[in-house]
Amino acid sequence: MSTALTIDHLGAQGDGVAPAGNGQVFVPFTLPGERVTAAVGKNRADLLAILDPSPERVAPPCRHFGTCGGCALQHMAMPAYLGWKRDKVVAALKGRGIDAPVGDIVACPPHSRRRVVFAVRRTERGMLLGYNQALSHQIVDIEECPISVPAIVTSLGKLRELARIACNTGDAFRMAVTASETGLDIELRDAGKFTDDARTAVSRFAMSAGFARVSVDGEIVIEPRKSVLMAGEIAVMPPPGAFVQAVAHAEEAMATLVTDHLRKAKNVADLFCGWGTFSLRLAKRSQVHAVEADAPALAALDRAFRFGEGLKTVTTEKRDLFRRPLTFKELDARFDGLVFDPPRAGAEDQARQIARSSVPHVAAVSCNPVTLARDLEILISGGYALKSVTPVDQFLWSPHVEAVALLEKPKKRR
């Protein structure tokens, strides 16, 4: 049964929200102000027709939009889309009572995402490779992807063939692809038992396809060339499956904000440092202590530091900062600058220790405005002044938004 609805605003995941009965209905692929007809089921609806389109509605650039779950907002004009993402950061801060200067959002251009994770499955008709349909395990087999760098898109056929060779399961599995400086770095997970015959066939195909590295379940199968990513001017060889900032342009923007804020610090702590996205850039001016729970990532950072040129000392420490955050005493004893970039859950316990410290300059980087706001509230309660917040769009046409917050704490007078 179809129902006429008027879209009031966008929800947190980018769906249009319409008042209906005693609650709200979420209608994907709609925009505020639009009148639509939709098939309503509980609190979600399938869009049937747009009666009055919004002036912000544009033609989606991808043929798969609407079925592929990778993008949610290709139908929204870019200025309105970027404004909505910035507003998500503003709303998260206001939800914690934080009235802070929020800058213009750093935009993400199409064809810029260098790391993607595909869902893959063998079927009677061949290998499906793409993204899951929204709210479904159904894989949408893609032929194009306007968010991804051309090096990935032009290799979709080769990636399907690699998946076919490695696949030894009827279940869906994962293929992570990173466009490194030296070629595609590919990791397969949960593709089934990896036989000796499959290892030989994968190695031969990877060589012929020109891939830089292929790994299966964390083990390197073949590596014709070292997979290299740049942290500023420093070359890093991350381990298989390492966390990578998805868009190089966004990474550079965030790193510039962080390094400029910490430019006067002589000793900097980089918490949740990964393979050195910030550490190696900061080491151009400061001594850096990099802390991370992932040993292979730390090893890659340390190797890059030892072979890098023009860097001050970088030390590393393997430490689970969720279980054992750096204490305020440890921070006060060594550091006059700090950056932390935790996973989506944020860094509540670590923020409490930072709040008690006297580190004068702090940069907080987050992919989740809600947990960022919580952590900033803790820091502000501890005496820090929030100087600026800059949203960064790293996941184009998705509801996700990054942010960099810069804080200062006045030195105590003796």
Side-chain angles (χ1 to χ4, degrees), residues 52-82:
D52 292 318
S54 165
E56 304 297 344
R57 178 170 287 277
V58 297
C62 180
R63 77 186 80 173
H64 304 298
F65 181 70
T67 54
C68 173
C71 293
L73 291 155
Q74 287 188 16
H75 60 298
M76 191 176 194
M78 191 57 65
Y81 159 79
L82 292 174

Side-chain angles (χ1 to χ4, degrees), residues 335-347:
F335 306 112
D336 56 349
L338 182 150
V339 56
F340 66 104
D341 182 13
R344 289 188 61 80

Side-chain angles (χ1 to χ4, degrees), residues 150-168:
I152 294 176
V153 178
T154 58
S155 298
L156 288 173
K158 293 178 179 178
L159 294 171
R160 279 191 183 84
E161 180 60 14
L162 177 68
R164 185 193 67 78
I165 295 169
C167 178
N168 193 20

Side-chain angles (χ1 to χ4, degrees), residues 31-42:
L31 296 173
E34 291 186 331
R35 287 183 60 248
V36 304
T37 56
V40 179
K42 293 186 179 180

Side-chain angles (χ1 to χ4, degrees), residues 249-260:
H249 166 77
E251 176 184 299
E252 192 61 39
M254 292 188 290
T256 298
L257 289 165
V258 170
T259 54
D260 285 353

Side-chain angles (χ1 to χ4, degrees), residues 101-245:
V102 177
D104 293 337
I105 189 169
V106 177
C108 178
H111 308 293
S112 62
R113 187 163 175 177
R114 63 181 174 180
R115 178 174 171 81
V116 295
V117 181
F118 294 120
V120 190
R121 184 193 292 271
R122 186 193 298 278
T123 71
E124 293 180 355
R125 293 179 295 173
M127 300 302 298
L128 298 179
L129 183 145
Y131 304 103
N132 286 333
Q133 188 172 341
L135 303 176
S136 168
H137 295 295
Q138 181 71 34
I139 297 173
V140 177
D141 195 41
I142 64 169
E143 298 179 37
E144 63 178 332
C145 183
I147 65 171
S148 302
V149 296
I152 294 176
V153 178
T154 58
S155 298
L156 288 173
K158 293 178 179 178
L159 294 171
R160 279 191 183 84
E161 180 60 14
L162 177 68
R164 185 193 67 78
I165 295 169
C167 178
N168 193 20
T169 179
D171 296 329
F173 59 98
R174 192 185 81 159
M175 174 185 280
V177 183
T178 301
S180 79
E181 299 291 326
T182 53
L184 296 188
D185 181 5
I186 302 156
E187 188 196 27
L188 296 103
R189 287 275 178 182
D190 302 318
K193 183 178 180 181
F194 195 55
T195 65
D196 290 342
D197 287 345
R199 180 183 298 274
T200 300
V202 164
S203 298
R204 286 176 178 170
F205 182 76
M207 288 291 292
S208 67
F211 297 148
R213 177 169 67 184
V214 176
S215 307
V216 175
D217 294 327
E219 176 190 352
I220 296 174
V221 176
I222 186 168
E223 191 175 36
R225 297 179 301 281
K226 294 293 184 182
S227 178
V228 173
L229 294 174
M230 302 301 295
E233 301 171 359
I234 306 301
V236 188
M237 293 177 284
F243 171 80
V244 174
Q245 297 289 355

